[in-house]
Amino acid sequence: MEKLTNKEVSKLLAEFGDLLAINGENEFKIRAYNNAARKIQSLEANLSELIKEDSLEDIKGIGKGIAGTIKEIFENGFSQEMEELKRELPSGVLEMTKIPNLGPKRAHQLYYELGLKSVAELREALENNKVRELKGFGPKSEQKLLKGLQNYKKYVDRIIISQAVEEADKLINALKNSVEEGIIKNIEVCGSTRRRKEMIGDIDILVACAAEDKESLSKKITELELTDEIIGAGDKKVSIITCDGLQVDFRLVSSEEFPSALHYFTGSQAHNVRMRQLAKDHNLKLNEYGLIKNDDSRIDIKSEEDIFVHLGLKYIIPELREDSGEIEAAAEDRLPVSIEVSDIKGDLHMHSRYSDGAFTIEEMGEAARKRGYSYIAITDHSKSLKVANGMSVERLKKQLQEIDEVNKKMDGFRILKGIEVDIMPDGSLDFEDEILSELDLVIASVHSSFAMTEEEMTARIIKAVKNTEVNILAHPRGRILGGRAAYKVDMNQVIEAALESNTALEINSSPHRLDLDDKWSRRAKEAGALLTINTDAHHYREFNDIKYGVSVARRGWLEKDDVINTFDLDKLMKFLRED
DNA sequence: GCCGTTTTCGGCCCGACTGTTTTCAGTCG
């Protein structure tokens, strides 16, 4: 049977939790399942390995019961208890809980008191005013649910991080422009956007202002041109849906509360739960308004960092706040010294007009030099990638001459001769080794025949990685966010091969790829492999995407020395010349 | 269901907003 992925198991556990909730089970039991689902989702190791080692119960939050359920799901593809629950509850009831403002309790009521088994039946009951007769429902609930029913599928599911950052900037500027200067004391995007997750579900914006301005500011938010629908609006919290179908939550606090609100609102939820427990252990209470002692007096908090310090921790950057070991590491002073954009000395993956780029070699070089880089590599596509105007041997040789010419004009800056060579289905490369050996740097990547078995694809990629001419494996898993799933490949084996053959694994900074992702980057580092963060730019504007790649690296616990393009030119060349 | 430098039983993060209520439950983050 096909192995289930961590993600699929996580989804099943969460679904189990939802089913239990609809059935009115103990809320802490439900929480345990949801907690376990989150743990599995953010797990680095592969579940099948943990099952083999019988070490599931080592994960905090997973005990005998849930470990048993996971094993059962793995062996049989389903859990007996879950199937029984599903038999009791039609799938439409679970679907109902996806409608805004309709949770498990009310779904339970609708099913057991009105016998509603599907979203369609719910709609009919709402239209016939049947629902308002239930206890706890009324005419307003009826209207809200009808509206939610229209929209619940229309809303955007998730957007990529770059879109979220742009959208947040737009909203922040729009709000700033709608009020007098000085009203907004501080404003910051929080949530998963601040943690720089690769995909974002909704946007959270924190605003500091004076108490007397809260009401008018709340009103301003609901009146923004970008606001399509108001979900809720109080003087502390406003939730809207934008014209693009994106949910945005605003929180309004005082300047004094801003640091603790910033921490709270940045999350992740799992990180916050741990931090609040930790506060409790210190006989304190942590919430969005501050760190509060038992006698209700506040501890003076000037910055987010102060919160960590008061709880005996080193400062944890937002990218690491996922409850994946950062709190323990902060307590023991072994957090990584996270890599920063300013550590990057050059970009080793980009395209010029020789293939599918928009600019000449000189234009790309000049733009990179202006950015403050000390080197770049021009890495156009090889011949078989016809859709991207892949180069023949002759054009490659012409390009090498041109790079020599341009380098003569560049002072204190170097353009490396590179190529992005296709990995053919049999694992061979699209150019002979003899030609590749003339280059400073060879990137290998897969652009065709994605639908191979895991064994075939793994063998294909490992063969390329082990070729001594290859220095970098680009976008190793081939995924396009929101577009194409990663091809099937055993990354653990690829990482081992990269380590043995001194090949760097790329974090491709294109916000559509972000490949490797945070988890695999962390895994690669732990295995001792080296990485490289590049933009794959086809336009020099895309050099700016490097920040997204660096965010992935930060989320993956990477430090400067794990990434070859933080090296100065001499050290980099030494790495490239080693086999 | 999970967990334990006071515990194997009795807790489990904390708060905002809404609608239905007359003090609160449900939903959401």
Side-chain angles (χ1 to χ4, degrees):
Chain A
M1 198 180 68
E2 191 83 13
K3 265 191 301 189
L4 274 87
T5 63
N6 292 14
K7 210 175 187 174
E8 286 163 335
V9 172
S10 162
K11 217 178 139 193
L12 278 172
L13 286 176
E15 200 180 303
F16 202 168
D18 290 341
L19 287 167
L20 291 169
I22 297 171
N23 243 11
E25 282 279 352
N26 176 306
E27 84 175 90
F28 296 108
K29 181 174 173 180
I30 296 158
R31 203 184 288 181
Y33 274 91
N34 287 321
N35 183 35
R38 271 201 307 273
K39 278 277 152 91
I40 299 293
Q41 202 184 10
S42 65
L43 200 64
E44 278 179 75
N46 208 318
L47 264 182
S48 54
E49 287 166 32
L50 294 187
I51 290 171
K52 220 183 292 167
E53 296 166 7
D54 203 23
S55 58
L56 273 177
E57 288 177 53
D58 293 348
I59 302 168
K60 216 171 160 193
I62 295 184
K64 216 172 179 174
I66 294 182
T69 305
I70 293 174
K71 279 186 224 161
E72 197 189 346
I73 290 174
F74 245 81
E75 278 165 28
N76 307 329
F78 64 91
S79 132
Q80 190 72 38
E81 201 185 337
M82 200 171 159
E83 290 306 305
E84 277 165 27
L85 261 178
K86 276 187 175 170
R87 264 198 292 281
E88 271 175 58
L89 286 169
S91 62
V93 183
L94 191 61
E95 178 73 15
M96 283 184 205
T97 63
K98 294 184 182 129
I99 298 165
N101 301 309
L102 208 176
K105 291 265 165 60
R106 304 216 289 178
H108 175 99
Q109 238 184 319
L110 290 168
Y111 176 53
Y112 286 102
E113 290 178 29
L114 284 183
L116 305 179
K117 294 191 291 294
S118 67
V119 174
E121 287 179 18
L122 170 62
R123 185 193 303 273
E124 204 186 318
L126 284 166
E127 281 163 356
N128 295 329
N129 300 343
K130 290 258 173 61
V131 174
R132 67 167 68 179
E133 287 157 17
L134 292 179
K135 189 172 159 58
F137 288 83
K140 286 221 169 138
S141 298
E142 200 173 78
Q143 281 313 307
K144 255 193 163 169
L145 289 177
L146 268 172
K147 188 137 197 244
L149 212 53
Q150 273 170 18
N151 291 333
Y152 87 107
K153 282 225 160 126
K154 198 179 77 189
Y155 295 144
V156 178
D157 196 21
R158 290 186 112 69
I159 57 173
I160 59 175
I161 180 65
S162 56
Q163 281 178 313
V165 168
E166 283 164 25
E167 195 82 16
D169 279 348
K170 259 200 291 189
L171 284 157
I172 287 173
N173 285 326
L175 188 59
K176 277 184 177 168
N177 289 333
S178 74
V179 296
E180 273 176 61
E181 217 180 309
I183 299 279
I184 294 174
K185 311 280 185 212
N186 215 338
I187 186 163
E188 195 98 45
V189 62
C190 300
S192 47
T193 308
R194 183 161 180 249
R195 301 199 313 279
R196 294 292 188 261
K197 281 193 78 170
E198 60 195 32
M199 299 287 278
I200 307 294
D202 55 22
I203 292 180
D204 305 301
I205 294 174
L206 179 65
V207 188
C209 65
E212 62 267 26
D213 292 327
K214 280 184 181 169
E215 206 183 316
S216 66
L217 210 48
S218 165
K219 193 153 175 289
K220 286 281 185 212
I221 293 167
T222 62
E223 289 166 359
L224 288 177
E225 209 169 304
L226 289 155
T227 301
D228 181 46
E229 194 188 320
I230 301 155
I231 298 174
D235 61 355
K236 294 187 173 75
K237 180 177 171 180
V238 185
S239 291
I240 60 155
I241 305 276
T242 68
C243 302
D244 300 325
L246 197 67
Q247 180 167 337
V248 185
D249 299 328
F250 291 85
R251 289 293 290 254
L252 309 173
V253 298
S254 69
S255 289
E256 195 190 18
E257 293 158 347
F258 193 82
S260 37
L262 187 63
H263 176 263
Y264 152 75
F265 213 22
T266 296
S268 63
Q269 204 182 12
H271 170 91
N272 283 355
V273 169
R274 291 288 312 279
M275 289 289 284
R276 285 174 174 194
Q277 279 165 345
L278 197 60
K280 248 183 158 176
D281 296 344
H282 283 74
N283 282 319
L284 296 166
K285 185 171 75 175
L286 177 62
N287 60 26
E288 54 264 58
Y289 303 116
L291 248 185
I292 298 143
K293 292 185 199 164
N294 279 341
D295 61 5
D296 278 347
S297 66
R298 295 165 46 98
I299 290 179
D300 193 27
I301 299 287
K302 293 246 171 347
S303 67
E304 257 189 330
E305 189 167 359
D306 288 348
I307 299 169
F308 293 102
V309 170
H310 277 289
L311 298 179
L313 303 175
K314 294 280 175 188
Y315 175 72
I316 300 170
I317 58 168
E319 291 93 325
L320 289 175
R321 299 181 198 165
E322 300 290 345
D323 188 26
S324 57
E326 77 280 6
I327 291 174
E328 292 80 357
E332 294 159 19
D333 195 12
R334 50 176 179 78
L335 281 169
V337 180
S338 299
I339 183 171
E340 295 182 30
V341 170
S342 58
D343 292 326
I344 301 289
K345 295 220 165 66
D347 196 331
L348 299 177
H349 185 170
M350 69 184 65
H351 299 272
S352 76
R353 283 201 195 157
Y354 274 86
S355 61
D356 57 349
F359 292 96
T360 64
I361 292 166
E362 186 168 356
E363 285 165 334
M364 293 300 272
E366 199 47 51
R369 203 170 60 105
K370 272 195 195 136
R371 263 189 87 85
Y373 283 157
S374 13
Y375 53 80
I376 56 167
I378 296 287
T379 55
D380 278 306
H381 291 289
S382 60
K383 60 179 187 282
S384 75
L385 199 63
K386 299 231 162 41
V387 288
N389 187 26
M391 295 182 297
S392 63
V393 178
E394 291 70 35
R395 293 216 347 269
L396 173 61
K397 289 197 167 161
K398 186 164 168 257
Q399 181 181 57
L400 300 186
Q401 281 177 4
E402 186 174 329
I403 291 176
D404 281 334
E405 292 303 314
V406 176
N407 265 331
K408 279 180 201 157
K409 294 191 231 169
M410 297 272 183
D411 200 21
F413 182 86
R414 171 86 173 273
I415 300 175
L416 302 181
K417 295 169 184 168
I419 192 160
E420 181 177 12
V421 63
D422 259 50
I423 303 174
M424 309 310 281
D426 66 357
S428 66
L429 302 178
D430 195 22
F431 276 126
E432 299 298 322
D433 288 359
E434 198 188 332
I435 299 159
L436 297 179
S437 68
E438 289 178 34
L439 303 170
D440 296 316
L441 172 147
V442 174
I443 295 179
S445 56
V446 169
H447 288 110
S448 62
S449 303
F450 299 115
M452 291 180 141
T453 66
E454 183 173 323
E455 288 70 28
E456 287 169 342
M457 187 61 92
T458 305
R460 172 187 184 182
I461 291 176
I462 285 179
K463 187 174 169 192
V465 164
K466 286 194 167 168
N467 184 312
T468 53
E469 297 303 331
V470 173
N471 306 111
I472 292 172
L473 176 66
H475 39 77
R477 300 177 70 230
R479 64 139 180 216
I480 304 291
L481 286 167
R484 183 174 74 208
Y487 35 70
K488 294 194 186 99
V489 58
D490 185 338
M491 276 307 298
N492 286 317
Q493 285 191 47
V494 172
I495 289 169
E496 275 309 307
L499 180 61
E500 280 170 31
S501 57
N502 206 32
T503 303
L505 296 166
E506 182 181 71
I507 296 174
N508 191 290
S509 305
S510 163
H512 296 279
R513 288 192 183 268
L514 299 179
D515 173 17
L516 294 178
D517 65 9
D518 45 11
K519 287 191 201 99
W520 282 114
S521 299
R522 188 172 176 184
R523 186 89 179 221
K525 176 205 165 95
E526 283 168 357
L530 284 168
L531 292 102
T532 174
I533 307 171
N534 303 312
T535 63
D536 201 351
H538 290 69
H539 186 301
Y540 53 65
R541 185 176 55 215
E542 289 164 4
F543 286 160
N544 287 322
D545 288 344
I546 197 81
K547 60 178 180 279
Y548 298 117
V550 170
S551 296
V552 169
R554 286 161 72 83
R555 290 179 56 81
W557 293 58
L558 263 53
E559 304 191 334
K560 188 180 162 186
D561 288 344
D562 300 315
V563 177
I564 62 167
N565 49 322
T566 65
F567 297 171
D568 60 34
L569 186 61
D570 286 346
K571 191 173 171 191
L572 175 69
M573 293 310 288
K574 195 164 164 265
F575 168 81
L576 294 175
R577 283 191 202 109
E578 280 169 12
D579 284 338

